[in-house]
Each structure stands twice: as structure tokens, then as C-alpha cells.
Amino acid sequence: MTKDIKQKTSAEIERLRQQAEEQLRTKGSAKPSPMNLAKAQRLLHELEVHQIELEMQNAELLSTREELEITHTKYAELFDFAPLGYFILDQHGRIQQTNLTGAQLLGTERSRLAEQPFCRFIEDSDGRIFFPRFLKMTLQGRGIQCCELNLKQTDGTLFHGILQSSAVKTSESLGDLILLSLIDNTDNRTLRLKLQKSRVVLEETVLKRTAELTEINARLLHEIEEHQLAQKELTEALSRIQQLSERLQLENIHLQQEVSRKYAFGEIIGQSRAMSEVFSQVEQVAPQNATVLLLGETGTGKGLIAHAIHQRSARKLRPMITVNCAALPGNLIESELFGREKGAFTGAHVQQMGRFELADGGTIFLDEIGEMPLELQVKLLRVIQDGEFERLGSPRTTKVNVRVIAASNRNLKTEISAGRFREDLFYRLNVFPINIPPLHQRSNDIPLLVEYFVGKYNKKIGKNIDTVTKDTLNILQAYHWPGNVRELENVIERAIITSQGTVLQILDRFDTPQEMRSEQATKALADLEYDHILHVLKKTRWRIEGENGAALQLGINPSTLRARMRKFGLRRP
């Protein structure tokens, strides 16, 4: 249509040009009379004006032609590269024009499709019979017609196409044309057929599974009946088991009572009056939430007593965290107890929870509380008093619910007098004190302890010691045991390793009670160290480093001396 408009415009311009030239030749051949000169001049002026108008119209027509050509190019590109194949057919179904997509769908060049009947590309005879009726319905103006046909390309490749058509009115000479669109629906059709096949298979499978389930259901009903019968038998058996269980429980309670009379608190062995008083105190304080202070010499079993209190309390399902205050360095004990933030000090690469946070809801056991530095005793007092603290390097207050059990082998009142322990902390800890007697004050428990340790290390080492002579027991009961139960356990383990046969043979040499009393009169090594350091510090006027410093006179590193000063609570006055 655009091409026809261009041809008509060019023809019109050519016709007007020829008429103007003819008129100009006619008028030029006539010789104007002198009396019509003015009229001729006027006509000449009008012709010149008319010529200018024609030139302007010609320029406009050229511009319109260029615009039409640009528009034609755009629509031609849209037409050619559309995702659908477009065909213009005449009334007989011959291809008049197509786009590139249509030519590609039919597998040939566009130039070879001109005047080709579209029926040539229909694969089956039924489709070729139906197609003329399809075109006839389109030309009758019944709206957009749609159908599906099996088509083949020029190389014989088959595909399934969806066709839509509509009639286009043109001039009487050309007649009506048909605009036809084509889509390759092969993949969708194949998928639809597969889905239909799958649906049929699925329906068959469902029917088969339904039959199987019906059969299984029948079997299950039969099994349920059998299960009900078995359950009835099990109920009767359970009733008999319940009766036996009640009898076993009564026997178990009786056995536990027998064991408790001999071994009152699991691994805490003893039946002396002193240990009976300790057990009674544990039973009294364990259900409460009070702070407990365990006092006694090294090796008397303060850790076992703390564990027994925790296991008999309402917190037994929560952890009991043990902290040995003497084993932790002074510069790390704060971060161990209260935690630290990342970057709180050099080497603190990650955030760490403290022992108090880990023990939240449970119990914390502070062993050797007398070794804690004075500066940390203030923080500990606040935790016991208010239940809150701050992590090292953090301004945020953390709240915890922790029961505190503390233990010490030192005389804390003496430590308070020496300025090494805070008095207010002592009274906070001393809510319920329990004094654990040393082994030499309950020597009648030694046979029980020996029997327990022999059984324990027989199993561990693989020996079969079953006899302990009376002389051996007399020797063990006569010894003072400065290391208490721990020392006795080490002696028994060593004796089992060295014993030959089934009789316990102890090769250790024990000091007499007189020698032990002489050693007791000697001052403790820690006290001697404290007095010596204090004397040297006073002598050097509390100067630590340098030529006249206390570290040089004591023969130790200045940092070691500062650590000992913190341990003993020594400060420059």
C-alpha cells in the first residue's frame, strides 16, 4: 500500500510538470501585441509566483516521500522480525507476501514463496481438504478464524502449527486478501500429549495403589486385633512386673539404707561422729539457697562435699562450675570469672563467657578462695550481694542467679588480720560454714577408706588384692596424715601397684607422731615467704626494680615479685 502511494505521488508530480511546460511553450509561441504588454507582464509575474508555489509543493512532496520511506522501513522491520510468521494470501490461498519468520517456519527463502499455494506445506490430506473451507469462512467475514494443522518444511521436517486468519479489504481490482499468522506449537503439543499420557498412567497407578491400600488396610485390621490380644497379655504381664518392681524398690530402699550407713555420701566415706555431723549439715543446707563456706585442710574432700550439696539442691539439673582460685594467674582470674569482650586486652581475640555466666541457674564452687587477689574480692562481693557484674571491657551489666559455695584451707580470720582478705566478703561467705575434720581426727574411718580405695584401684589397675592385715591398718591409723584423704589414696594406689599376691603390702615409711608434731611447730613455707618478702621490701623502702631494688636482693624477676605481692596482698604504704 505504501508503494502504491509513492507511485501515485510521483505520477502526479510528473503530470503537473508536463502540463506547465506545455502551457509555457504555447504561450511562448504566441506573439503578444504591443497593446497587451502590461497584461503579459502581469501574467508573467503570476507564473513566476505559481512556479515558486510549485517548487515549494514539490519540496513538501519530497519530504513526505522520505517520511513515507522511513515509516515503510520501520514497519517492514517490525513485520519481518515479528515472533510470529505472517502471510498475505489471495482468495485461492496463494502466498502473496510473507515475513522472515514465516519463511523460516516453512524452511525456505522468502522469494521462493511468492505465488506458492499454502496447501503445499500441509502434511496430511485431511488438512489439505479442510484448509480451503477455513479460507472460505475467513472471506465470509466471520471474524478471526483459528485452527491447528500438521505442517512440513521444504526439507520434510514436520511441525504442528496454530493458524489465525482474518480478511483484509482492498481495491476491487485486487479483491479481498487474507492475513494469516502462524505459530510453531510442536513443543507445547508434545508436552500436552505427554501430560495426557502421564495423567492416564497416574490414574492407573492410583487405582493400583488404592487396591493395594485396601489390601493393606485389611491386613492392618487383622494385625490390630492381634495387637489388642497381645496388649491384653502385656497388661497382665505388666501388672505382674509392677508387683515385682514394687518389691524390688522396697529391697532397693533397704539396700540403700544399708549402704548409707556405711558410705553416707557416695565417694565421701565415713561413719565417725565428726563426719556424721558434716553429713547432717549438708542435708540441712543443701535444699536452701544459702552461701556455704567449706573450711578444712588440704585433701579433706571439700570438693566432694560441695558436689554433694549441689546434687541435693533444687539446682542439681543445672551445672556446677568449679574454679580453683589458686591455679589461675592473677592477671587472668577476672576474665575467667566474669568473662571478657573481644579486644578487652592484648590477646583477647574473641568474646568469652565467664564462669559465673556458665553457672547461671546452677552452682559455682570457688576452691581456695583465700588465694583470690584483693582487687577481685570487691567484684565477687557484688556478685554474691546483687547477682550482677560487668564483663571485662564491657559497660553492660550482666545478671545471674548463682549459688556460691566457697572453700579454703587457710584461716580466713588470720588472712583478714593480715590485710589479705576482705572482712565484708568473709561475712558474706560465712552464712553457713562447714568445718571438715582432718583424717587424723577420724582415724576410725581409715579401714572403710582403705577398703574403698583397694576396690577402686583393683578395678583400675587389674589387681586382685583382697586382704589387708591388722598390722597394716594399725600403722595407717597411727599416722598423722598431713595430706589427709588424698595422701591416703595415693599410698593405697602405690601399694596396690607394688604388692605381689592378694595381700596389701605398704612399703612407705611413715613418720612418728612426735616427728609430725615437731613439723607442725615449724612455720608454714608460705608464711615464711610472706615475712621474707615484706622484710626486704621494707629494707629497700618498697623499691622493686634497679640496683637497690627488692627483686635483685631476692634473686627473682621484678614481674615475679609483683605477682607474689598481689598474691599476699602487699601494697606500698
Side-chain angles (χ1 to χ4, degrees), residues 134-155:
F134 173 74
L135 296 180
K136 185 177 180 181
M137 287 187 290
T138 303
L139 291 170
Q140 288 174 354
R142 297 185 183 181
I144 296 175
Q145 300 296 318
C146 182
C147 70
E148 296 186 18
L149 294 173
N150 292 320
L151 304 174
K152 64 179 178 180
Q153 297 178 349
T154 54
D155 61 356

Short mmCIF file of all heavy atoms in Angstrom, two decimals, residues 134-155:
data_model
loop_
_atom_site.label_atom_id
_atom_site.label_comp_id
_atom_site.label_asym_id
_atom_site.label_seq_id
_atom_site.Cartn_x
_atom_site.Cartn_y
_atom_site.Cartn_z
N PHE A 134 -11.54 -23.40 5.53
CA PHE A 134 -11.06 -22.44 6.53
C PHE A 134 -10.91 -21.05 5.90
O PHE A 134 -11.33 -20.03 6.48
CB PHE A 134 -9.72 -22.95 7.09
CG PHE A 134 -9.04 -21.99 8.00
CD1 PHE A 134 -9.49 -21.77 9.29
CD2 PHE A 134 -7.91 -21.30 7.58
CE1 PHE A 134 -8.83 -20.89 10.14
CE2 PHE A 134 -7.26 -20.42 8.41
CZ PHE A 134 -7.72 -20.22 9.69
N LEU A 135 -10.34 -20.99 4.64
CA LEU A 135 -10.18 -19.70 3.96
C LEU A 135 -11.54 -19.12 3.59
O LEU A 135 -11.75 -17.88 3.68
CB LEU A 135 -9.32 -19.88 2.71
CG LEU A 135 -7.86 -20.31 2.93
CD1 LEU A 135 -7.14 -20.45 1.59
CD2 LEU A 135 -7.13 -19.32 3.82
N LYS A 136 -12.48 -19.98 3.17
CA LYS A 136 -13.81 -19.52 2.78
C LYS A 136 -14.53 -18.87 3.96
O LYS A 136 -15.15 -17.80 3.83
CB LYS A 136 -14.61 -20.70 2.24
CG LYS A 136 -15.98 -20.30 1.68
CD LYS A 136 -16.68 -21.52 1.09
CE LYS A 136 -18.07 -21.12 0.53
NZ LYS A 136 -18.78 -22.29 -0.03
N MET A 137 -14.42 -19.49 5.15
CA MET A 137 -15.04 -18.91 6.35
C MET A 137 -14.41 -17.57 6.70
O MET A 137 -15.08 -16.65 7.14
CB MET A 137 -14.91 -19.88 7.52
CG MET A 137 -15.82 -21.09 7.42
SD MET A 137 -15.80 -22.11 8.91
CE MET A 137 -14.14 -22.78 8.82
N THR A 138 -13.12 -17.43 6.44
CA THR A 138 -12.43 -16.15 6.71
C THR A 138 -12.93 -15.07 5.77
O THR A 138 -13.23 -13.94 6.19
CB THR A 138 -10.92 -16.34 6.56
OG1 THR A 138 -10.47 -17.37 7.43
CG2 THR A 138 -10.18 -15.06 6.91
N LEU A 139 -13.06 -15.40 4.47
CA LEU A 139 -13.50 -14.41 3.48
C LEU A 139 -14.96 -14.02 3.67
O LEU A 139 -15.38 -12.92 3.28
CB LEU A 139 -13.31 -14.97 2.07
CG LEU A 139 -11.83 -15.13 1.63
CD1 LEU A 139 -11.75 -15.91 0.34
CD2 LEU A 139 -11.17 -13.76 1.50
N GLN A 140 -15.75 -14.89 4.26
CA GLN A 140 -17.16 -14.58 4.52
C GLN A 140 -17.34 -13.61 5.68
O GLN A 140 -18.46 -13.25 6.03
CB GLN A 140 -17.92 -15.88 4.81
CG GLN A 140 -18.13 -16.74 3.57
CD GLN A 140 -18.76 -18.09 3.89
OE1 GLN A 140 -18.95 -18.41 5.07
NE2 GLN A 140 -19.10 -18.86 2.85
N GLY A 141 -16.21 -13.19 6.28
CA GLY A 141 -16.27 -12.17 7.33
C GLY A 141 -16.80 -12.67 8.64
O GLY A 141 -17.53 -11.95 9.34
N ARG A 142 -16.48 -13.90 9.01
CA ARG A 142 -16.94 -14.47 10.28
C ARG A 142 -15.98 -14.16 11.43
O ARG A 142 -15.94 -14.89 12.41
CB ARG A 142 -17.10 -15.98 10.13
CG ARG A 142 -18.15 -16.38 9.12
CD ARG A 142 -18.36 -17.87 9.11
NE ARG A 142 -19.32 -18.29 8.10
CZ ARG A 142 -19.69 -19.56 7.89
NH1 ARG A 142 -19.17 -20.52 8.66
NH2 ARG A 142 -20.55 -19.86 6.96
N GLY A 143 -15.20 -13.14 11.27
CA GLY A 143 -14.26 -12.77 12.35
C GLY A 143 -12.95 -13.55 12.22
O GLY A 143 -12.66 -14.16 11.19
N ILE A 144 -12.19 -13.53 13.26
CA ILE A 144 -10.90 -14.21 13.27
C ILE A 144 -11.13 -15.70 13.40
O ILE A 144 -11.82 -16.17 14.30
CB ILE A 144 -10.02 -13.70 14.42
CG1 ILE A 144 -9.69 -12.21 14.23
CG2 ILE A 144 -8.73 -14.50 14.53
CD1 ILE A 144 -8.93 -11.59 15.38
N GLN A 145 -10.57 -16.45 12.46
CA GLN A 145 -10.68 -17.90 12.44
C GLN A 145 -9.38 -18.52 12.97
O GLN A 145 -8.29 -17.98 12.76
CB GLN A 145 -10.96 -18.41 11.02
CG GLN A 145 -12.24 -17.86 10.41
CD GLN A 145 -13.47 -18.33 11.16
OE1 GLN A 145 -13.56 -19.49 11.54
NE2 GLN A 145 -14.42 -17.41 11.38
N CYS A 146 -9.51 -19.65 13.63
CA CYS A 146 -8.33 -20.31 14.23
C CYS A 146 -8.42 -21.81 13.98
O CYS A 146 -9.52 -22.39 14.04
CB CYS A 146 -8.27 -20.02 15.73
SG CYS A 146 -6.81 -20.73 16.53
N CYS A 147 -7.27 -22.42 13.70
CA CYS A 147 -7.23 -23.87 13.53
C CYS A 147 -5.82 -24.38 13.81
O CYS A 147 -4.87 -23.59 13.93
CB CYS A 147 -7.67 -24.27 12.12
SG CYS A 147 -6.47 -23.82 10.83
N GLU A 148 -5.68 -25.70 13.92
CA GLU A 148 -4.39 -26.34 14.13
C GLU A 148 -4.17 -27.35 13.01
O GLU A 148 -5.06 -28.14 12.70
CB GLU A 148 -4.34 -27.04 15.49
CG GLU A 148 -4.45 -26.10 16.67
CD GLU A 148 -4.26 -26.81 18.00
OE1 GLU A 148 -3.72 -27.94 17.99
OE2 GLU A 148 -4.66 -26.24 19.03
N LEU A 149 -2.95 -27.30 12.41
CA LEU A 149 -2.64 -28.19 11.31
C LEU A 149 -1.24 -28.76 11.48
O LEU A 149 -0.35 -28.10 12.09
CB LEU A 149 -2.72 -27.45 9.96
CG LEU A 149 -4.10 -26.94 9.53
CD1 LEU A 149 -3.96 -26.08 8.29
CD2 LEU A 149 -5.04 -28.11 9.27
N ASN A 150 -1.03 -29.94 10.92
CA ASN A 150 0.30 -30.52 10.86
C ASN A 150 0.96 -30.06 9.57
O ASN A 150 0.46 -30.32 8.46
CB ASN A 150 0.25 -32.04 10.90
CG ASN A 150 -0.23 -32.55 12.24
OD1 ASN A 150 0.13 -32.01 13.28
ND2 ASN A 150 -1.08 -33.57 12.23
N LEU A 151 2.09 -29.35 9.67
CA LEU A 151 2.77 -28.76 8.52
C LEU A 151 4.12 -29.42 8.35
O LEU A 151 4.65 -30.07 9.27
CB LEU A 151 2.93 -27.26 8.71
CG LEU A 151 1.63 -26.47 8.98
CD1 LEU A 151 1.94 -25.03 9.30
CD2 LEU A 151 0.69 -26.56 7.79
N LYS A 152 4.69 -29.23 7.13
CA LYS A 152 6.04 -29.74 6.89
C LYS A 152 6.84 -28.68 6.16
O LYS A 152 6.31 -27.92 5.33
CB LYS A 152 5.99 -31.04 6.09
CG LYS A 152 5.41 -30.92 4.70
CD LYS A 152 5.45 -32.28 3.98
CE LYS A 152 4.82 -32.15 2.58
NZ LYS A 152 4.83 -33.44 1.87
N GLN A 153 8.12 -28.63 6.49
CA GLN A 153 9.02 -27.69 5.83
C GLN A 153 9.47 -28.28 4.49
O GLN A 153 9.19 -29.44 4.17
CB GLN A 153 10.22 -27.41 6.72
CG GLN A 153 9.84 -26.74 8.04
CD GLN A 153 11.05 -26.51 8.95
OE1 GLN A 153 12.13 -27.03 8.69
NE2 GLN A 153 10.84 -25.73 10.00
N THR A 154 10.19 -27.50 3.72
CA THR A 154 10.63 -27.95 2.40
C THR A 154 11.57 -29.14 2.48
O THR A 154 11.66 -29.92 1.54
CB THR A 154 11.33 -26.79 1.66
OG1 THR A 154 12.38 -26.27 2.49
CG2 THR A 154 10.34 -25.68 1.35
N ASP A 155 12.29 -29.28 3.61
CA ASP A 155 13.18 -30.43 3.74
C ASP A 155 12.48 -31.64 4.35
O ASP A 155 13.12 -32.66 4.65
CB ASP A 155 14.40 -30.06 4.58
CG ASP A 155 14.02 -29.64 6.00
OD1 ASP A 155 12.81 -29.57 6.29
OD2 ASP A 155 14.93 -29.38 6.80
#
